[in-house]
Amino acid sequence: MSAPTTSAPVPAPAPGPAPRSGAATVELRGLHRSFGSTTALDGLDLTVRPGELLALLGPSGCGKTTALRMLAGFEHPDSGEILLDGKDVTAVPAHRRDAGMVFQSYSLFPHLNAVDNVAFGLRMRRVGAAERRGRARELLDLVGLADKGDRFPHQLSGGQQQRVALARALALRPRVLLLDEPLSALDAKVRLTLREEIRRVQQELGITTLFITHDQEEALSMADRVAVMRAGRLEQCAAPAELYARPATAFVAEFVGTMSRVPGRLRAADGTVEVLGKRLPVDGTPPAGGDGTEVDVLVRPEAVRVAAGAGPDRVAGASFLGATVRLTVLLGDGTQVKADLPAHDAAALTPGAPVRVSLPDRPVLVSPRPH
């Protein structure tokens, strides 16, 4: 499995303000859902804390969108419970869930201007015209569109349309905000700006938020915690820095960030692994196997040390990333390893240059060798 690329570890976001009064606790308990022979959720257990922004991250088909739609009330589990502040809402219809949802496709009404799009839900609840328009303009101001209220969707950019969709989801003052890959249709620069804006609004309101994404950089930069899913199950849920530095499984290690597999051998007697000519302690529980069992050692690019000069390894390629250069190094046994070096240190390490790769003296994550 090839791992997505990412930059250096993203630190956990600074703690936001205390959750607002009424911020909800969301609990998903033992959710199962199948579509014919396909299992979408396989006993999912997850808790979202009051006022927290939690990102659900995983590959396509892992079940994250099914989980979000169940929380919104658009899908129903075959078994399991959905609780809001301890109250079972599994059978409660979507319009009574007290949740606001922002879709990937925006879903704005083309014949309504921004103010009327935001106020639509309030109109359905028979809120007076003056009050609903005032509330809509407040929310447009909150998302940075105070001067765009009279514009129609076709007069707004994609990023502006998504801000209107966010304001509309907040108009009914929901206790839970649900975001279904809201940035995936936007270009990179707009995504960066809008994810910062969504985080600012979420922190300002202190609203409990579940954010679905397949983009690990979005998840790591925005969320208080990230829940990584695989095949309908939860692999790990942790703060971004912990998820990156201490992945609970090999799947999380390779899915979140870039990870190279380096051949090693277990030394069962002392709980170490022999890799690149040295013995290192194993981080966590070693995989089953006796002394000398072949395993893979999982290493991040920033942990790999590369020394220029005569050595058994060769530089196979280099990618300039600004302040750093990511080298692809071919080890003597044919294994490829990624290594991140400061740009000035990598200047002379051109493809074909002989080098020696090593690892620092600290515990490493070990995975069984795939068969």
Side-chain angles (χ1 to χ4, degrees):
M1 170 182 172
S2 62
T5 59
T6 190
S7 54
V10 179
R20 69 175 184 179
S21 175
T25 298
V26 174
E27 296 175 83
L28 309 180
R29 294 183 178 176
L31 294 185
H32 288 263
R33 184 70 168 101
S34 295
F35 299 94
S37 61
T38 301
T39 299
L41 293 179
D42 189 15
L44 177 64
D45 291 300
L46 182 67
T47 298
V48 190
R49 301 163 183 164
E52 174 180 52
L53 192 156
L54 187 141
L56 265 184
L57 177 67
S60 297
C62 71
K64 57 186 184 295
T65 297
T66 299
L68 188 78
R69 290 178 60 81
M70 283 187 182
L71 180 52
F74 301 141
E75 296 278 355
H76 299 286
D78 298 326
S79 61
E81 297 177 316
I82 301 169
L83 282 74
L84 190 64
D85 281 338
K87 179 182 177 181
D88 188 349
V89 297
T90 311
V92 174
H95 68 277
R96 295 177 55 197
R97 288 283 178 101
D98 204 8
M101 188 159 180
V102 179
F103 298 93
Q104 178 179 342
S105 60
Y106 316 149
S107 301
L108 300 180
F109 298 108
H111 63 289
L112 299 179
N113 64 23
V115 166
D116 290 337
N117 261 288
V118 174
F120 182 81
L122 296 171
R123 191 175 78 179
M124 293 299 99
R125 294 195 178 183
R126 302 185 184 280
V127 175
E131 182 180 346
R132 68 174 182 256
R133 290 181 69 83
R135 175 68 177 153
R137 290 197 178 277
E138 287 177 9
L139 287 166
L140 287 174
D141 183 44
L142 181 68
V143 299
L145 295 178
D147 60 340
K148 303 293 191 296
D150 296 329
R151 295 194 182 183
F152 291 85
H154 72 275
Q155 298 172 312
L156 300 171
S157 68
Q160 290 169 340
Q161 290 181 50
Q162 193 61 287
R163 291 176 190 230
V164 174
L166 175 60
R168 184 177 62 183
L170 295 170
L172 296 177
R173 295 186 172 93
R175 298 177 64 203
V176 179
L177 179 63
L178 308 176
L179 306 174
D180 185 11
E181 299 201 47
L183 309 180
S184 61
L186 304 172
D187 64 54
K189 187 174 181 179
V190 175
R191 281 203 308 270
L192 178 60
T193 300
L194 197 51
R195 76 189 189 198
E196 293 172 351
E197 191 71 11
I198 288 174
R199 181 58 169 162
R200 178 191 65 79
V201 170
Q202 186 271 336
Q203 288 186 314
E204 186 170 330
L205 297 178
I207 187 172
T208 305
T209 302
L210 189 62
F211 182 99
I212 303 299
T213 182
H214 64 272
D215 186 321
Q216 57 179 285
E217 187 173 327
E218 279 181 10
L220 295 175
S221 64
M222 292 178 65
D224 296 300
R225 287 189 301 152
V226 178
V228 180
M229 290 184 64
R230 179 190 189 192
R233 288 182 172 272
L234 185 65
E235 288 274 314
Q236 185 178 3
C237 185
E242 179 182 351
L243 197 75
Y244 187 93
R246 297 190 60 83
T249 66
F251 174 81
V252 175
E254 293 188 286
F255 190 79
V256 179
T258 298
M259 191 73 81
S260 297
R261 287 178 173 259
V262 181
R265 290 182 181 274
L266 284 180
R267 295 306 174 197
D270 58 3
T272 62
V273 61
E274 189 173 296
V275 57
L276 296 179
K278 64 165 61 174
R279 288 193 180 189
L280 298 175
V282 173
D283 188 0
T285 303
D291 195 63
T293 298
E294 293 184 347
V295 294
D296 283 337
V297 178
L298 306 180
V299 293
R300 299 285 189 199
E302 64 271 13
V304 177
R305 295 173 176 172
V306 179
D313 314 316
R314 292 289 184 276
V315 175
S319 299
F320 180 71
L321 302 177
T324 62
V325 170
R326 175 159 295 173
L327 298 179
T328 299
V329 180
L330 193 65
L331 303 184
D333 63 2
T335 301
Q336 281 196 354
V337 176
K338 302 292 186 183
D340 286 352
L341 275 69
H344 59 80
D345 291 343
L349 300 180
T350 55
V355 293
R356 181 177 297 276
V357 169
S358 63
L359 298 176
D361 295 324
R362 60 181 185 230
V364 290
L365 188 68
V366 172
S367 173
R369 179 75 57 81
H371 297 293

